[in-house]
Amino acid sequence: MMKTHDPSSPSGSPPGGPQSPRTARLADWLWASGHDLRQRAPEPGRDDAVLQAMRASFATRQRSVRRVGWRWALAGPALCATVLVACVWLLGTAPPGESGATVARGSDFIVLVSADRWAAYEKAGAGTAWLVPTDVPRERLALLGLPYDPAAAAEPVHAELLVHASGDVLAMRVLP
């Protein structure tokens, strides 16, 4: 049993009996508070007004979300289309020889240098380069964008390299 003590009592000591107003149990206080809260119910129209205000707020929020939502529905396809157009444009502007294997016109050579370097070689004539036979690892075909069998990646491929007088490898021809 929990008792409280009132220091302002005339005797200065705790009151002695259960009939004292200063002595009470915590459970009694809680019961009295709960009873008081049950007695103070809101007015009947108050619950309906709060519920109606919540519904109006929710409806307003939903309308604003729907208004903004349709704009984002087009963002995904627009972004994909933009990326696709950019990729096609970048592939179209890449210089030959750097974006993969390109075949020289009228020959079986795969050009390994830029278009400017290849044009300078063609302008100078065939006397400035040599054909050098060699064996190339089959995995190098994949780097040139050519098909190859990964199971035979270690086997060599017979090829001819077109080497400029400066030592630059200009092109390669794969032999059967």
Side-chain angles (χ1 to χ4, degrees):
M1 176 188 251
M2 179 180 214
K3 295 184 179 183
T4 60
H5 169 62
D6 183 16
S8 64
S9 67
S11 64
S13 62
Q19 61 273 25
S20 169
R22 297 285 182 188
T23 305
R25 292 186 348 196
L26 178 62
D28 293 339
W29 286 348
L30 291 174
W31 181 86
S33 298
H35 184 69
D36 188 36
L37 283 175
R38 282 191 293 278
Q39 297 298 324
R40 295 184 185 192
E43 328 165 340
R46 184 81 165 173
D47 286 343
D48 294 335
V50 168
L51 191 57
Q52 196 170 24
M54 289 173 61
R55 286 183 182 148
S57 172
F58 181 73
T60 304
R61 194 175 330 130
Q62 286 295 93
R63 279 193 298 269
S64 67
V65 167
R66 277 191 220 121
R67 228 178 290 133
V68 174
W70 72 270
R71 294 180 198 148
W72 287 106
L74 298 176
L79 180 64
C80 289
T82 304
V83 168
L84 181 64
V85 167
C87 288
V88 168
W89 179 75
L90 286 174
L91 287 174
T93 59
E98 292 181 13
S99 63
T102 53
V103 178
R105 288 179 294 232
S107 71
D108 295 332
F109 280 100
I110 300 167
V111 178
L112 302 176
V113 294
S114 68
D116 298 333
R117 184 84 171 119
W118 184 254
Y121 162 71
E122 286 182 333
K123 187 185 242 185
T128 61
W130 296 284
L131 263 173
V132 179
T134 187
D135 288 336
V136 178
R138 197 171 292 269
E139 67 184 15
R140 298 303 256 176
L141 297 179
L143 296 175
L144 295 172
L146 298 174
Y148 85 105
D149 182 17
E155 296 177 13
V157 174
H158 301 293
E160 289 181 338
L161 299 177
L162 187 62
V163 180
H164 193 265
S166 66
D168 294 337
V169 179
L170 299 173
M172 180 177 85
R173 174 171 47 193
V174 178
L175 300 174

PDB file of all heavy atoms in Angstrom, residues 100-133:
ATOM      1  N   GLY A 100      36.288  -1.324 -83.738  1.00  0.00           N
ATOM      2  CA  GLY A 100      36.209  -2.730 -84.119  1.00  0.00           C
ATOM      3  C   GLY A 100      36.907  -2.929 -85.444  1.00  0.00           C
ATOM      4  O   GLY A 100      37.564  -2.046 -85.977  1.00  0.00           O
ATOM      5  N   ALA A 101      36.765  -4.106 -85.986  1.00  0.00           N
ATOM      6  CA  ALA A 101      37.445  -4.433 -87.233  1.00  0.00           C
ATOM      7  C   ALA A 101      36.688  -3.851 -88.421  1.00  0.00           C
ATOM      8  O   ALA A 101      35.487  -3.982 -88.522  1.00  0.00           O
ATOM      9  CB  ALA A 101      37.547  -5.940 -87.379  1.00  0.00           C
ATOM     10  N   THR A 102      37.405  -3.196 -89.324  1.00  0.00           N
ATOM     11  CA  THR A 102      36.835  -2.733 -90.582  1.00  0.00           C
ATOM     12  C   THR A 102      37.684  -3.292 -91.703  1.00  0.00           C
ATOM     13  O   THR A 102      38.906  -3.401 -91.591  1.00  0.00           O
ATOM     14  CB  THR A 102      36.820  -1.190 -90.678  1.00  0.00           C
ATOM     15  OG1 THR A 102      38.135  -0.705 -90.429  1.00  0.00           O
ATOM     16  CG2 THR A 102      35.856  -0.603 -89.690  1.00  0.00           C
ATOM     17  N   VAL A 103      37.037  -3.647 -92.768  1.00  0.00           N
ATOM     18  CA  VAL A 103      37.732  -4.261 -93.894  1.00  0.00           C
ATOM     19  C   VAL A 103      38.039  -3.177 -94.923  1.00  0.00           C
ATOM     20  O   VAL A 103      37.181  -2.364 -95.257  1.00  0.00           O
ATOM     21  CB  VAL A 103      36.853  -5.379 -94.519  1.00  0.00           C
ATOM     22  CG1 VAL A 103      37.533  -6.001 -95.718  1.00  0.00           C
ATOM     23  CG2 VAL A 103      36.528  -6.423 -93.469  1.00  0.00           C
ATOM     24  N   ALA A 104      39.279  -3.167 -95.375  1.00  0.00           N
ATOM     25  CA  ALA A 104      39.673  -2.190 -96.392  1.00  0.00           C
ATOM     26  C   ALA A 104      38.948  -2.509 -97.694  1.00  0.00           C
ATOM     27  O   ALA A 104      38.738  -3.673 -98.043  1.00  0.00           O
ATOM     28  CB  ALA A 104      41.178  -2.230 -96.593  1.00  0.00           C
ATOM     29  N   ARG A 105      38.597  -1.464 -98.446  1.00  0.00           N
ATOM     30  CA  ARG A 105      37.872  -1.653 -99.691  1.00  0.00           C
ATOM     31  C   ARG A 105      38.729  -2.416-100.698  1.00  0.00           C
ATOM     32  O   ARG A 105      39.905  -2.101-100.907  1.00  0.00           O
ATOM     33  CB  ARG A 105      37.499  -0.304-100.280  1.00  0.00           C
ATOM     34  CG  ARG A 105      36.406   0.383 -99.519  1.00  0.00           C
ATOM     35  CD  ARG A 105      36.125   1.701-100.151  1.00  0.00           C
ATOM     36  NE  ARG A 105      37.331   2.553 -99.957  1.00  0.00           N
ATOM     37  CZ  ARG A 105      37.314   3.755 -99.449  1.00  0.00           C
ATOM     38  NH1 ARG A 105      36.185   4.286 -99.118  1.00  0.00           N
ATOM     39  NH2 ARG A 105      38.412   4.445 -99.290  1.00  0.00           N
ATOM     40  N   GLY A 106      38.114  -3.432-101.302  1.00  0.00           N
ATOM     41  CA  GLY A 106      38.781  -4.172-102.367  1.00  0.00           C
ATOM     42  C   GLY A 106      39.846  -5.131-101.876  1.00  0.00           C
ATOM     43  O   GLY A 106      40.655  -5.595-102.679  1.00  0.00           O
ATOM     44  N   SER A 107      39.908  -5.445-100.591  1.00  0.00           N
ATOM     45  CA  SER A 107      40.908  -6.396-100.097  1.00  0.00           C
ATOM     46  C   SER A 107      40.347  -7.167 -98.917  1.00  0.00           C
ATOM     47  O   SER A 107      39.253  -6.906 -98.447  1.00  0.00           O
ATOM     48  CB  SER A 107      42.182  -5.663 -99.687  1.00  0.00           C
ATOM     49  OG  SER A 107      41.961  -4.925 -98.513  1.00  0.00           O
ATOM     50  N   ASP A 108      41.119  -8.107 -98.431  1.00  0.00           N
ATOM     51  CA  ASP A 108      40.717  -8.911 -97.283  1.00  0.00           C
ATOM     52  C   ASP A 108      41.357  -8.412 -95.994  1.00  0.00           C
ATOM     53  O   ASP A 108      41.282  -9.074 -94.974  1.00  0.00           O
ATOM     54  CB  ASP A 108      41.131 -10.373 -97.501  1.00  0.00           C
ATOM     55  CG  ASP A 108      40.403 -11.013 -98.676  1.00  0.00           C
ATOM     56  OD1 ASP A 108      39.278 -10.574 -98.963  1.00  0.00           O
ATOM     57  OD2 ASP A 108      40.958 -11.946 -99.281  1.00  0.00           O
ATOM     58  N   PHE A 109      41.991  -7.258 -96.041  1.00  0.00           N
ATOM     59  CA  PHE A 109      42.687  -6.749 -94.867  1.00  0.00           C
ATOM     60  C   PHE A 109      41.710  -6.119 -93.883  1.00  0.00           C
ATOM     61  O   PHE A 109      40.789  -5.412 -94.260  1.00  0.00           O
ATOM     62  CB  PHE A 109      43.747  -5.709 -95.264  1.00  0.00           C
ATOM     63  CG  PHE A 109      45.007  -6.320 -95.770  1.00  0.00           C
ATOM     64  CD1 PHE A 109      45.245  -6.405 -97.125  1.00  0.00           C
ATOM     65  CD2 PHE A 109      45.951  -6.809 -94.887  1.00  0.00           C
ATOM     66  CE1 PHE A 109      46.407  -6.965 -97.594  1.00  0.00           C
ATOM     67  CE2 PHE A 109      47.111  -7.375 -95.344  1.00  0.00           C
ATOM     68  CZ  PHE A 109      47.347  -7.459 -96.702  1.00  0.00           C
ATOM     69  N   ILE A 110      41.972  -6.365 -92.614  1.00  0.00           N
ATOM     70  CA  ILE A 110      41.215  -5.742 -91.525  1.00  0.00           C
ATOM     71  C   ILE A 110      42.051  -4.563 -91.053  1.00  0.00           C
ATOM     72  O   ILE A 110      43.171  -4.735 -90.579  1.00  0.00           O
ATOM     73  CB  ILE A 110      40.987  -6.742 -90.376  1.00  0.00           C
ATOM     74  CG1 ILE A 110      40.211  -7.953 -90.873  1.00  0.00           C
ATOM     75  CG2 ILE A 110      40.255  -6.072 -89.222  1.00  0.00           C
ATOM     76  CD1 ILE A 110      40.202  -9.104 -89.906  1.00  0.00           C
ATOM     77  N   VAL A 111      41.514  -3.374 -91.182  1.00  0.00           N
ATOM     78  CA  VAL A 111      42.238  -2.154 -90.845  1.00  0.00           C
ATOM     79  C   VAL A 111      42.344  -2.038 -89.320  1.00  0.00           C
ATOM     80  O   VAL A 111      41.360  -2.173 -88.603  1.00  0.00           O
ATOM     81  CB  VAL A 111      41.531  -0.914 -91.430  1.00  0.00           C
ATOM     82  CG1 VAL A 111      42.262   0.344 -91.035  1.00  0.00           C
ATOM     83  CG2 VAL A 111      41.406  -1.039 -92.929  1.00  0.00           C
ATOM     84  N   LEU A 112      43.562  -1.777 -88.834  1.00  0.00           N
ATOM     85  CA  LEU A 112      43.809  -1.681 -87.398  1.00  0.00           C
ATOM     86  C   LEU A 112      44.145  -0.263 -86.943  1.00  0.00           C
ATOM     87  O   LEU A 112      44.375  -0.044 -85.753  1.00  0.00           O
ATOM     88  CB  LEU A 112      44.955  -2.623 -87.000  1.00  0.00           C
ATOM     89  CG  LEU A 112      44.748  -4.097 -87.341  1.00  0.00           C
ATOM     90  CD1 LEU A 112      45.988  -4.886 -86.997  1.00  0.00           C
ATOM     91  CD2 LEU A 112      43.547  -4.653 -86.625  1.00  0.00           C
ATOM     92  N   VAL A 113      44.198   0.691 -87.857  1.00  0.00           N
ATOM     93  CA  VAL A 113      44.553   2.075 -87.521  1.00  0.00           C
ATOM     94  C   VAL A 113      43.379   2.991 -87.826  1.00  0.00           C
ATOM     95  O   VAL A 113      42.381   2.574 -88.401  1.00  0.00           O
ATOM     96  CB  VAL A 113      45.817   2.530 -88.299  1.00  0.00           C
ATOM     97  CG1 VAL A 113      47.026   1.742 -87.846  1.00  0.00           C
ATOM     98  CG2 VAL A 113      45.617   2.414 -89.792  1.00  0.00           C
ATOM     99  N   SER A 114      43.537   4.256 -87.478  1.00  0.00           N
ATOM    100  CA  SER A 114      42.463   5.220 -87.725  1.00  0.00           C
ATOM    101  C   SER A 114      42.292   5.468 -89.215  1.00  0.00           C
ATOM    102  O   SER A 114      43.154   5.149 -90.028  1.00  0.00           O
ATOM    103  CB  SER A 114      42.765   6.535 -87.004  1.00  0.00           C
ATOM    104  OG  SER A 114      43.892   7.152 -87.603  1.00  0.00           O
ATOM    105  N   ALA A 115      41.177   6.072 -89.563  1.00  0.00           N
ATOM    106  CA  ALA A 115      40.873   6.342 -90.969  1.00  0.00           C
ATOM    107  C   ALA A 115      41.882   7.303 -91.577  1.00  0.00           C
ATOM    108  O   ALA A 115      42.266   7.162 -92.744  1.00  0.00           O
ATOM    109  CB  ALA A 115      39.459   6.903 -91.087  1.00  0.00           C
ATOM    110  N   ASP A 116      42.348   8.287 -90.805  1.00  0.00           N
ATOM    111  CA  ASP A 116      43.335   9.243 -91.322  1.00  0.00           C
ATOM    112  C   ASP A 116      44.650   8.540 -91.650  1.00  0.00           C
ATOM    113  O   ASP A 116      45.257   8.790 -92.693  1.00  0.00           O
ATOM    114  CB  ASP A 116      43.580  10.354 -90.295  1.00  0.00           C
ATOM    115  CG  ASP A 116      42.324  11.148 -90.002  1.00  0.00           C
ATOM    116  OD1 ASP A 116      41.439  11.218 -90.887  1.00  0.00           O
ATOM    117  OD2 ASP A 116      42.225  11.702 -88.891  1.00  0.00           O
ATOM    118  N   ARG A 117      45.075   7.668 -90.756  1.00  0.00           N
ATOM    119  CA  ARG A 117      46.341   6.939 -90.969  1.00  0.00           C
ATOM    120  C   ARG A 117      46.221   6.009 -92.180  1.00  0.00           C
ATOM    121  O   ARG A 117      47.155   5.874 -92.961  1.00  0.00           O
ATOM    122  CB  ARG A 117      46.667   6.147 -89.691  1.00  0.00           C
ATOM    123  CG  ARG A 117      47.971   5.446 -89.736  1.00  0.00           C
ATOM    124  CD  ARG A 117      49.081   6.423 -89.341  1.00  0.00           C
ATOM    125  NE  ARG A 117      50.317   5.677 -89.193  1.00  0.00           N
ATOM    126  CZ  ARG A 117      51.389   5.913 -89.925  1.00  0.00           C
ATOM    127  NH1 ARG A 117      51.400   6.894 -90.800  1.00  0.00           N
ATOM    128  NH2 ARG A 117      52.472   5.195 -89.752  1.00  0.00           N
ATOM    129  N   TRP A 118      45.075   5.352 -92.321  1.00  0.00           N
ATOM    130  CA  TRP A 118      44.875   4.450 -93.464  1.00  0.00           C
ATOM    131  C   TRP A 118      44.827   5.245 -94.765  1.00  0.00           C
ATOM    132  O   TRP A 118      45.399   4.816 -95.786  1.00  0.00           O
ATOM    133  CB  TRP A 118      43.596   3.643 -93.278  1.00  0.00           C
ATOM    134  CG  TRP A 118      43.378   2.642 -94.368  1.00  0.00           C
ATOM    135  CD1 TRP A 118      42.473   2.722 -95.377  1.00  0.00           C
ATOM    136  CD2 TRP A 118      44.102   1.436 -94.571  1.00  0.00           C
ATOM    137  NE1 TRP A 118      42.577   1.645 -96.187  1.00  0.00           N
ATOM    138  CE2 TRP A 118      43.578   0.820 -95.717  1.00  0.00           C
ATOM    139  CE3 TRP A 118      45.146   0.814 -93.911  1.00  0.00           C
ATOM    140  CZ2 TRP A 118      44.048  -0.383 -96.222  1.00  0.00           C
ATOM    141  CZ3 TRP A 118      45.616  -0.397 -94.404  1.00  0.00           C
ATOM    142  CH2 TRP A 118      45.075  -0.986 -95.540  1.00  0.00           C
ATOM    143  N   ALA A 119      44.189   6.414 -94.762  1.00  0.00           N
ATOM    144  CA  ALA A 119      44.126   7.248 -95.968  1.00  0.00           C
ATOM    145  C   ALA A 119      45.524   7.726 -96.353  1.00  0.00           C
ATOM    146  O   ALA A 119      45.867   7.767 -97.552  1.00  0.00           O
ATOM    147  CB  ALA A 119      43.203   8.436 -95.733  1.00  0.00           C
ATOM    148  N   ALA A 120      46.361   8.062 -95.359  1.00  0.00           N
ATOM    149  CA  ALA A 120      47.734   8.485 -95.657  1.00  0.00           C
ATOM    150  C   ALA A 120      48.523   7.331 -96.282  1.00  0.00           C
ATOM    151  O   ALA A 120      49.327   7.537 -97.195  1.00  0.00           O
ATOM    152  CB  ALA A 120      48.416   8.973 -94.382  1.00  0.00           C
ATOM    153  N   TYR A 121      48.304   6.106 -95.810  1.00  0.00           N
ATOM    154  CA  TYR A 121      48.993   4.939 -96.390  1.00  0.00           C
ATOM    155  C   TYR A 121      48.552   4.734 -97.828  1.00  0.00           C
ATOM    156  O   TYR A 121      49.385   4.516 -98.719  1.00  0.00           O
ATOM    157  CB  TYR A 121      48.706   3.676 -95.563  1.00  0.00           C
ATOM    158  CG  TYR A 121      49.000   2.406 -96.314  1.00  0.00           C
ATOM    159  CD1 TYR A 121      50.308   2.041 -96.588  1.00  0.00           C
ATOM    160  CD2 TYR A 121      47.978   1.605 -96.794  1.00  0.00           C
ATOM    161  CE1 TYR A 121      50.588   0.895 -97.306  1.00  0.00           C
ATOM    162  CE2 TYR A 121      48.248   0.462 -97.508  1.00  0.00           C
ATOM    163  CZ  TYR A 121      49.550   0.103 -97.763  1.00  0.00           C
ATOM    164  OH  TYR A 121      49.825  -1.022 -98.483  1.00  0.00           O
ATOM    165  N   GLU A 122      47.245   4.800 -98.101  1.00  0.00           N
ATOM    166  CA  GLU A 122      46.753   4.597 -99.460  1.00  0.00           C
ATOM    167  C   GLU A 122      47.264   5.689-100.394  1.00  0.00           C
ATOM    168  O   GLU A 122      47.544   5.438-101.569  1.00  0.00           O
ATOM    169  CB  GLU A 122      45.220   4.558 -99.468  1.00  0.00           C
ATOM    170  CG  GLU A 122      44.652   3.277 -98.912  1.00  0.00           C
ATOM    171  CD  GLU A 122      43.135   3.237 -98.964  1.00  0.00           C
ATOM    172  OE1 GLU A 122      42.484   4.316 -98.942  1.00  0.00           O
ATOM    173  OE2 GLU A 122      42.595   2.126 -99.014  1.00  0.00           O
ATOM    174  N   LYS A 123      47.418   6.900 -99.900  1.00  0.00           N
ATOM    175  CA  LYS A 123      47.902   8.010-100.716  1.00  0.00           C
ATOM    176  C   LYS A 123      49.384   7.815-101.059  1.00  0.00           C
ATOM    177  O   LYS A 123      49.820   8.107-102.167  1.00  0.00           O
ATOM    178  CB  LYS A 123      47.705   9.324 -99.952  1.00  0.00           C
ATOM    179  CG  LYS A 123      48.007  10.560-100.764  1.00  0.00           C
ATOM    180  CD  LYS A 123      47.890  11.781 -99.890  1.00  0.00           C
ATOM    181  CE  LYS A 123      46.805  12.661-100.408  1.00  0.00           C
ATOM    182  NZ  LYS A 123      46.724  13.927 -99.671  1.00  0.00           N
ATOM    183  N   ALA A 124      50.165   7.329-100.082  1.00  0.00           N
ATOM    184  CA  ALA A 124      51.602   7.143-100.292  1.00  0.00           C
ATOM    185  C   ALA A 124      51.891   5.980-101.229  1.00  0.00           C
ATOM    186  O   ALA A 124      52.948   5.931-101.853  1.00  0.00           O
ATOM    187  CB  ALA A 124      52.299   6.935 -98.954  1.00  0.00           C
ATOM    188  N   GLY A 125      50.994   5.014-101.306  1.00  0.00           N
ATOM    189  CA  GLY A 125      51.202   3.874-102.200  1.00  0.00           C
ATOM    190  C   GLY A 125      51.661   2.648-101.438  1.00  0.00           C
ATOM    191  O   GLY A 125      52.041   2.694-100.272  1.00  0.00           O
ATOM    192  N   ALA A 126      51.667   1.534-102.133  1.00  0.00           N
ATOM    193  CA  ALA A 126      51.960   0.253-101.512  1.00  0.00           C
ATOM    194  C   ALA A 126      53.445   0.056-101.248  1.00  0.00           C
ATOM    195  O   ALA A 126      53.835  -0.873-100.564  1.00  0.00           O
ATOM    196  CB  ALA A 126      51.424  -0.879-102.373  1.00  0.00           C
ATOM    197  N   GLY A 127      54.306   0.910-101.782  1.00  0.00           N
ATOM    198  CA  GLY A 127      55.747   0.734-101.618  1.00  0.00           C
ATOM    199  C   GLY A 127      56.247   1.084-100.221  1.00  0.00           C
ATOM    200  O   GLY A 127      57.417   0.845 -99.923  1.00  0.00           O
ATOM    201  N   THR A 128      55.392   1.651 -99.360  1.00  0.00           N
ATOM    202  CA  THR A 128      55.846   2.072 -98.030  1.00  0.00           C
ATOM    203  C   THR A 128      55.510   1.056 -96.938  1.00  0.00           C
ATOM    204  O   THR A 128      55.666   1.357 -95.765  1.00  0.00           O
ATOM    205  CB  THR A 128      55.217   3.426 -97.658  1.00  0.00           C
ATOM    206  OG1 THR A 128      53.796   3.272 -97.636  1.00  0.00           O
ATOM    207  CG2 THR A 128      55.622   4.503 -98.624  1.00  0.00           C
ATOM    208  N   ALA A 129      55.029  -0.119 -97.316  1.00  0.00           N
ATOM    209  CA  ALA A 129      54.658  -1.122 -96.314  1.00  0.00           C
ATOM    210  C   ALA A 129      55.068  -2.510 -96.786  1.00  0.00           C
ATOM    211  O   ALA A 129      55.274  -2.749 -97.971  1.00  0.00           O
ATOM    212  CB  ALA A 129      53.155  -1.076 -96.068  1.00  0.00           C
ATOM    213  N   TRP A 130      55.203  -3.421 -95.815  1.00  0.00           N
ATOM    214  CA  TRP A 130      55.584  -4.802 -96.128  1.00  0.00           C
ATOM    215  C   TRP A 130      54.530  -5.748 -95.595  1.00  0.00           C
ATOM    216  O   TRP A 130      53.874  -5.480 -94.592  1.00  0.00           O
ATOM    217  CB  TRP A 130      56.916  -5.157 -95.456  1.00  0.00           C
ATOM    218  CG  TRP A 130      58.057  -4.358 -95.952  1.00  0.00           C
ATOM    219  CD1 TRP A 130      58.712  -4.496 -97.129  1.00  0.00           C
ATOM    220  CD2 TRP A 130      58.678  -3.282 -95.268  1.00  0.00           C
ATOM    221  NE1 TRP A 130      59.713  -3.580 -97.238  1.00  0.00           N
ATOM    222  CE2 TRP A 130      59.722  -2.819 -96.097  1.00  0.00           C
ATOM    223  CE3 TRP A 130      58.490  -2.650 -94.040  1.00  0.00           C
ATOM    224  CZ2 TRP A 130      60.559  -1.764 -95.742  1.00  0.00           C
ATOM    225  CZ3 TRP A 130      59.313  -1.606 -93.683  1.00  0.00           C
ATOM    226  CH2 TRP A 130      60.338  -1.179 -94.542  1.00  0.00           C
ATOM    227  N   LEU A 131      54.432  -6.883 -96.246  1.00  0.00           N
ATOM    228  CA  LEU A 131      53.573  -7.969 -95.766  1.00  0.00           C
ATOM    229  C   LEU A 131      54.423  -8.916 -94.941  1.00  0.00           C
ATOM    230  O   LEU A 131      55.424  -9.439 -95.427  1.00  0.00           O
ATOM    231  CB  LEU A 131      52.978  -8.749 -96.947  1.00  0.00           C
ATOM    232  CG  LEU A 131      51.578  -8.349 -97.351  1.00  0.00           C
ATOM    233  CD1 LEU A 131      51.163  -9.071 -98.615  1.00  0.00           C
ATOM    234  CD2 LEU A 131      50.596  -8.588 -96.264  1.00  0.00           C
ATOM    235  N   VAL A 132      54.031  -9.141 -93.709  1.00  0.00           N
ATOM    236  CA  VAL A 132      54.796  -9.989 -92.807  1.00  0.00           C
ATOM    237  C   VAL A 132      53.902 -11.153 -92.366  1.00  0.00           C
ATOM    238  O   VAL A 132      52.874 -10.926 -91.712  1.00  0.00           O
ATOM    239  CB  VAL A 132      55.256  -9.195 -91.562  1.00  0.00           C
ATOM    240  CG1 VAL A 132      56.028 -10.099 -90.613  1.00  0.00           C
ATOM    241  CG2 VAL A 132      56.078  -8.001 -91.971  1.00  0.00           C
ATOM    242  N   PRO A 133      54.271 -12.425 -92.722  1.00  0.00           N
ATOM    243  CA  PRO A 133      53.473 -13.566 -92.254  1.00  0.00           C
ATOM    244  C   PRO A 133      53.743 -13.810 -90.764  1.00  0.00           C
ATOM    245  O   PRO A 133      54.870 -13.644 -90.292  1.00  0.00           O
ATOM    246  CB  PRO A 133      53.977 -14.729 -93.095  1.00  0.00           C
ATOM    247  CG  PRO A 133      55.315 -14.323 -93.573  1.00  0.00           C
ATOM    248  CD  PRO A 133      55.359 -12.827 -93.606  1.00  0.00           C
TER     249      PRO A 133
END
